[in-house]
Amino acid sequence: MFVKNKWVKLAIVPLMAALVLSGCGGKDEGKSGDEGVLAQIKDKDKIVFGVKNDTRLFGLKDPGTGEVEGFDIDIAKALANEILGDETKVAFEEVTSKTRIQLLNTGKIDAIVATMTISEERKKEVDFTDVYFDAGQSLLVKKGSDITGIDTLKGKKVLAVKGSTSAVNIREKAPDAKVLEFENYTEAFAALKSKQGDALTTDDSILYGMVDEDPSYELVGGTFTEEPYGIAVKKGNEDFVKELNKALKALKDSGKYDEIKDKWIKANN
Amino acid sequence: MDFSILTNNIDMFLEGLKNTIIASLIALICSLVLGILIAIFRIAPFKPINWLGTAYVEFIRNIPLLVIAFFIFLVFRIPGLAAGTMALTIYTAAFIAEAIRAGIQSVPKGQMEAARSSGLTYPQAMWNIILPQAIKIVIPPLGNQFINLVKNSSIIAVIAGGELMYQGDLISARTFVVFDTYIFVAMFYLVLTIPLSLGVGQLEKRLAKNN
Amino acid sequence: MDFAGAYTWVNIKFLLEGFGVTLQVAFFAIILSFFIAGAVGTVRYAKVPILSQVFAVLVETIRNLPLLLIILFTFFALPEIGISMEKIPAAIVALTIFEAAMISEIIRSGLNSIDKGQIEAGRSSGLSNFQTLRYIVLPQALRRMVPPLVSQFISLLKDTSLCVIISLPELTHHAQVIYGQNSGYLAPILLFIAFMYFAVNYTLSVISRRLEVKKFNPPGSDSVSRIFPLYS
């Protein structure tokens, strides 16, 4: 053989070094393993919330400040205020409908406050708090569209977001429609504006945000499902769920909840 | 491994596989034609055309395929699968043009001069004398470009084009079974790309022997 | 189309921030993948038993998979087996895995392109294996590897855009955030980021060509594109 062992060993050194380096990121693992999420939150004195960054009125990133703003964000801050006594003891991590359960179960976030509907399917994966917002699925179309509701979708292209309950529901409620699913609401709405579909479907609350951005679009046909939003936490953290429910109740009793809701959700709820 | 993911969603996987194959084949043929055209532009004995070919290759090669795909999908408003196929064509053509140009320029210049002086026009000489020789040299890199093309077709998932990666994404989002779903997606891709790689490898060996 | 509205300082600053993440991820992935690929390529070139076969299988598998799938897999599937990373490390790891497989092939073909006669000559003139590799094979092989390596680094920089799928706050994702506000910004912003990618990548490719022409290709030496038709 041409190469002696020495050289092989030499070659392996950078490989190992690189493997070790690239493995470093993995060390966070297990932070949600031994003790409960609530205990960890108290330890680090901070709650990491998974929030939307692309949903106007609920969680939207402002390029100017780099901050995320919306109903979900204010709710999350208020919850932190109740639980840790300071609304600045929060960190926000961007999630999409597709990524949020993964991020929660791998311990990258402590709780999801991201327009997330409580559903039986999802209850198998995560635990939910009480309902903190009532939404319902609806349709968004360009003004003057011939789509007037769920029964006029035959042969139409309907846009949705991967991993959302709306994408599942619309296939049941309008089996004759063609459903196209996108990574996030930015892409889905951009696709609607680019006439890649005839309607966009998701919760009315999110659709109102889109109308707010571009008033040449409107909601049609009312709501055809009930989408109660809950805060999701990793399974097996009953104490954290209880704490969050207690905090939610406190917010509702003190009027803080209504204040936040009035700030973001104006006319329609 | 949870094979029920595969069997329960086999229709979606196959639909995705079909779309991946369609997009790759169409993009292959179109990018080959476009790539040859641009390669000819690049070596044409006429400066403005020359410059046009160079500008195309330099610009397209240096921007991400995904940005091209978003542009065609959102700005030109072409449906996902078609937009993705067009983006793949435009992108791959730049690489194919470069491979072909290198191939053509490796044919000694004297041959063109000899062909021209024996009465052939420039296009005739190019088509009958230069290209057949160049093709031998460029076949292996073209094969590699085709493998890249099949892999790159996965970006169609981001613009809802319904190919393999998109279907896998929907399945994993719906079933919450991520690991196994992606492993199956990977296997479907390998079924397409491994035979191609082996074929290209064989071709390279055979061509190397002939020289 | 609203060019004036799209190109405000706020938006451009936001894009530059995203580009910072793009460059950061690309930089670390380039360094890591180069070292890993160096080791893998050398082991395969030297045909180290077992290790070489194992690497061959790994490299061939990874090279034949879409990078998008590898990114998704790293971020969403690996946590299921206990390897969980934040977005930026996950992006770096995924890119490194994919690019290291690609680059190891460049390194292997570069080493293989050196005439075996030279190795024998080196050995018979009393150099050790290591010395032959170090003083005879490597300098020539590296010279030939520079252009395809730069091409691959450019690919890597472009490929960082695929990390939008895990919402990595890089350039393309920040572009999405901006055109999400106003569809009039779509074309202007996409064009703008295209030029940002182009500016960096084109500069890299020009530098690499200068190097190739001036330093590495003295008149009469064989053309690089003949050894690396794949990457030309």
Side-chain angles (χ1 to χ4, degrees):
Chain A
M1 205 175 67
F2 156 57
V3 166
K4 277 186 200 154
N5 279 339
K6 193 174 83 182
W7 173 248
V8 176
K9 273 179 200 151
L10 214 68
I12 290 172
V13 171
L15 175 69
M16 286 302 148
L19 280 179
V20 168
L21 273 178
S22 58
C24 280
K27 289 203 177 123
D28 305 335
E29 227 282 319
K31 80 177 166 192
S32 50
D34 309 318
E35 48 176 356
V37 174
L38 186 61
Q40 289 166 38
I41 288 169
K42 298 254 157 106
D43 278 353
K44 65 186 175 187
D45 205 21
K46 193 169 160 187
I47 311 178
V48 183
F49 286 105
V51 296
K52 294 275 179 75
N53 275 12
D54 63 349
T55 309
R56 193 173 289 262
L57 306 183
F58 280 83
L60 184 73
K61 191 165 198 172
D62 177 356
T65 58
E67 299 287 320
V68 210
E69 295 163 349
F71 177 77
D72 280 343
I73 309 303
D74 286 356
I75 290 287
K77 285 179 182 165
L79 289 173
N81 190 33
E82 291 296 325
I83 294 169
L84 298 174
D86 186 346
E87 69 161 35
T88 60
K89 288 178 177 171
V90 287
F92 294 115
E93 182 76 22
E94 174 172 7
V95 300
T96 66
S97 302
K98 195 181 87 183
T99 64
R100 57 192 168 193
I101 288 181
Q102 276 295 313
L103 289 165
L104 184 71
N105 283 342
T106 55
K108 284 169 190 154
I109 53 180
D110 301 320
I112 302 171
V113 190
T115 64
M116 188 169 184
T117 303
I118 302 171
S119 75
E120 288 308 313
E121 274 298 304
R122 286 175 180 162
K123 276 187 192 164
K124 292 177 201 154
E125 303 292 321
V126 298
D127 285 340
F128 282 104
T129 62
D130 298 337
V131 178
Y132 76 95
F133 188 83
D134 280 301
Q137 188 173 351
S138 188
L139 294 167
L140 183 75
V141 296
K142 183 94 183 167
K143 276 184 183 160
S145 161
D146 57 351
I147 295 172
T148 54
I150 187 82
D151 9 300
T152 55
L153 288 176
K154 193 169 177 162
K156 301 283 188 189
K157 273 190 203 160
V158 183
L159 312 177
V161 166
K162 286 176 188 169
S164 63
T165 44
S166 322
V168 179
N169 293 336
I170 195 71
R171 283 193 167 84
E172 284 168 15
K173 308 257 172 183
D176 296 322
K178 187 171 191 299
V179 183
L180 295 176
E181 296 183 38
F182 291 85
E183 299 299 319
N184 53 45
Y185 288 109
T186 308
E187 288 308 316
F189 193 31
L192 181 69
K193 288 177 181 169
S194 298
K195 306 211 168 24
Q196 295 285 355
D198 306 299
L200 193 160
T201 188
T202 183
D203 307 337
D204 55 349
S205 46
I206 300 172
L207 295 178
Y208 284 123
M210 295 177 182
V211 174
D212 191 49
E213 183 208 318
D214 189 339
S216 67
Y217 289 82
E218 62 179 352
L219 276 74
V220 291
T223 57
F224 50 88
T225 63
E226 281 174 14
E227 308 285 334
Y229 289 172
I231 297 161
V233 303
K234 196 173 177 177
K235 268 219 163 300
N237 288 285
E238 285 79 12
D239 52 344
F240 188 29
V241 173
K242 218 175 274 172
E243 190 81 15
L244 284 168
N245 278 334
K246 210 172 78 190
L248 272 177
K249 187 161 184 313
L251 292 180
K252 283 185 178 161
D253 291 347
S254 70
K256 178 80 178 162
Y257 175 85
D258 289 329
E259 192 187 304
I260 294 172
K261 194 165 166 182
D262 288 343
K263 180 178 166 195
W264 294 103
I265 320 294
K266 289 153 210 145
N268 302 288
N269 278 285
Chain B
M1 284 305 279
D2 182 359
F3 279 92
S4 66
I5 287 293
L6 183 65
T7 49
N8 289 346
N9 300 288
I10 192 71
D11 289 350
M12 284 175 81
F13 277 118
L14 290 181
E15 167 79 12
L17 190 66
K18 188 189 84 190
N19 287 334
T20 294
I21 293 173
I22 291 175
S24 303
L25 275 180
I26 295 177
L28 170 77
I29 294 165
C30 297
S31 60
L32 205 55
V33 173
L34 187 60
I36 291 173
L37 197 72
I38 292 160
I40 291 171
F41 270 37
R42 287 209 67 183
I43 54 166
F46 182 54
K47 278 273 176 266
I49 282 194
N50 218 295
W51 186 85
L52 210 66
T54 308
Y56 180 93
V57 169
E58 292 296 352
F59 187 64
I60 298 296
R61 280 206 308 175
N62 286 311
I63 59 173
L65 171 59
L66 193 64
V67 174
I68 303 175
F70 275 146
F71 202 88
I72 296 176
F73 182 69
L74 294 173
V75 180
F76 295 141
R77 307 181 167 188
I78 289 166
L81 189 60
T85 309
M86 286 173 70
L88 278 172
T89 300
I90 290 169
Y91 186 74
T92 312
F95 291 88
I96 288 182
E98 266 312 89
I100 292 177
R101 183 191 61 92
I104 291 175
Q105 290 186 338
S106 67
V107 177
K109 272 213 174 114
Q111 298 213 14
M112 178 53 108
E113 284 155 24
R116 291 301 302 277
S117 61
S118 69
L120 294 179
T121 63
Y122 181 85
Q124 280 174 333
M126 187 51 91
W127 187 254
N128 294 316
I129 311 288
I130 310 293
L131 279 182
Q133 298 183 64
I135 280 171
K136 271 186 207 152
I137 299 167
V138 300
I139 278 179
L142 287 189
N144 278 294
Q145 284 308 328
F146 187 38
I147 299 167
N148 282 341
L149 200 154
V150 174
K151 292 192 292 174
N152 285 338
S153 70
S154 60
I155 59 110
I156 297 175
V158 183
I159 49 174
E163 47 62 80
L164 198 45
M165 193 70 245
Y166 175 81
Q167 306 287 358
D169 242 7
L170 294 197
I171 295 167
S172 74
R174 218 156 286 160
T175 59
F176 305 109
V177 180
V178 183
F179 193 91
D180 292 5
T181 306
Y182 286 154
I183 293 284
F184 287 123
V185 172
M187 283 176 182
F188 277 108
Y189 274 110
L190 291 178
V191 165
L192 292 178
T193 51
I194 292 271
L196 279 171
S197 293
L198 292 176
V200 172
Q202 283 298 319
L203 214 61
E204 257 171 49
K205 264 182 203 157
R206 196 176 300 168
L207 287 170
K209 247 180 221 166
N210 285 353
N211 290 341
Chain C
M1 262 184 249
D2 180 0
F3 281 89
Y7 297 158
T8 58
W9 173 235
V10 166
N11 287 350
I12 289 173
K13 206 177 110 218
F14 190 61
L15 289 178
L16 286 174
E17 268 171 39
F19 205 37
V21 174
T22 294
L23 293 177
Q24 184 197 346
V25 167
F27 176 79
F28 284 111
I30 283 174
I31 304 283
L32 284 173
S33 58
F34 180 71
F35 281 111
I36 296 177
V40 172
T42 314
V43 165
R44 290 193 65 195
Y45 167 70
K47 299 205 169 63
V48 179
I50 303 169
L51 206 55
S52 156
Q53 280 86 341
V54 170
F55 284 167
V57 171
L58 280 176
V59 166
E60 284 311 310
T61 308
I62 294 166
R63 260 164 42 99
N64 282 297
L65 286 174
L67 175 56
L68 196 65
L69 179 63
I70 295 174
I71 295 172
L72 284 169
F73 194 84
T74 308
F75 194 65
F76 292 119
L78 284 187
E80 286 189 10
I81 55 168
I83 305 167
S84 170
M85 286 169 276
E86 301 291 321
K87 279 172 193 165
I88 289 182
I92 293 173
V93 168
L95 285 164
T96 300
I97 291 171
F98 181 78
E99 305 294 345
M102 306 296 277
I103 293 170
S104 77
E105 282 298 279
I106 296 177
I107 289 176
R108 195 170 65 101
S109 353
L111 293 172
N112 276 331
S113 75
I114 304 305
D115 187 15
K116 293 281 182 290
Q118 295 202 23
I119 297 164
E120 283 155 25
R123 293 288 290 132
S124 57
S125 66
L127 294 178
S128 72
N129 280 326
F130 178 72
Q131 285 169 325
T132 313
L133 196 64
R134 169 71 186 80
Y135 295 105
I136 297 188
V137 180
L138 265 187
Q140 300 182 66
L142 272 177
R143 187 177 300 170
R144 291 175 179 181
M145 285 174 210
V146 168
L149 278 178
V150 174
S151 293
Q152 197 60 41
F153 293 154
I154 291 173
S155 284
L156 198 157
L157 210 126
K158 290 187 291 179
D159 288 342
T160 54
S161 64
L162 296 177
C163 298
V164 288
I165 201 136
I166 58 169
S167 314
L168 181 77
E170 46 71 65
L171 183 56
T172 307
H173 184 63
H174 275 196
Q176 288 185 324
V177 172
I178 294 173
Y179 69 65
Q181 302 175 320
N182 184 329
S183 57
Y185 297 170
L186 249 174
I189 292 294
L190 283 174
L191 282 174
F192 191 83
I193 65 166
F195 277 106
M196 282 171 96
Y197 283 111
F198 174 77
V200 172
N201 287 332
Y202 186 67
T203 311
L204 276 176
S205 70
V206 168
I207 292 171
S208 127
R209 257 174 274 170
R210 287 265 164 83
L211 280 175
E212 186 188 342
V213 174
K214 282 196 184 145
K215 231 174 155 182
F216 292 137
N217 267 12
S221 73
D222 47 359
S223 149
V224 173
S225 59
R226 295 204 89 143
I227 302 156
F228 293 105
L230 332 182
Y231 304 99
S232 57

